[in-house]
Amino acid sequence: EVQLLESGGGLVQRGGSLRLSCAASGFIFSSYAMTWVRQAPGKGLEWVSVISGSGGTTYYAESVKGRFTISRDNSKNTLYLQVNSLRAEDTAVYYCAKAGSSGVANFLDYWGQGTLVTVSS
Amino acid sequence: SYVLTQPPSVSVAPGETARITCEGNNIGSKSVHWYQQKPAQAPVMVIYYDSDRPSGIPERFSGSNSGNTATLTISRVEAGDEADYYCQVWDSGSDHQMFGGGTKLTVL
């Protein structure tokens, strides 16, 4: 059974940093791209970033480029998102999601339950 | 960047057919995926590659994609189908995943 468990969210001041983690199990982690998607309170889904199965390819939404860094440790079956220079508009539930293959241009067939990041001013 | 447009809301009576559209420039040339999200829950994929259904998703859910419009069709709608639905594509021009704004399906 595929499981994705996010952690690392919390309350942080504007300008602060957090590292979000997503522990994966139930599949060969290195064989699949992974994505972060966020959802602000009462809003729709917003894609944040994607990383290929090998970790060699990454892409970011314009709204987070230069502030967020996606990475993965295939030996630990864990996905990360380092979020820096946080702004009020970064307040959201952050979901990690598994892609359908190792490539980044893919559907998202499994999602975690999300971790809430709240940025206070 | 590539824009996906969905109607904010769709309402349908139980047993009827709901059609949720996702409009984008020449979207028929892209692969469209659909997600269902119920309140306080994570999204669940209901259609991938325009019209394929993951295991466990009822046959009542189907998809199509042509021209500038992709459509998610839910036949014989049930109260449990009430949720937000999102379309998604990969925009190769920007190397970005794109989501539509979401459609709230209300079962009357």
Side-chain angles (χ1 to χ4, degrees), chain B residues 91-103:
Chain B
D91 177 28
S92 57
S94 62
D95 287 327
H96 283 22
Q97 290 278 14
M98 307 302 300
F99 285 99
T103 297

Side-chain angles (χ1 to χ4, degrees), chain B residues 41-53:
Chain B
Q41 295 186 22
V44 172
M45 187 176 71
V46 293
I47 292 289
Y48 64 106
Y49 290 146
D50 298 340
S51 59
D52 289 342
R53 252 180 307 104

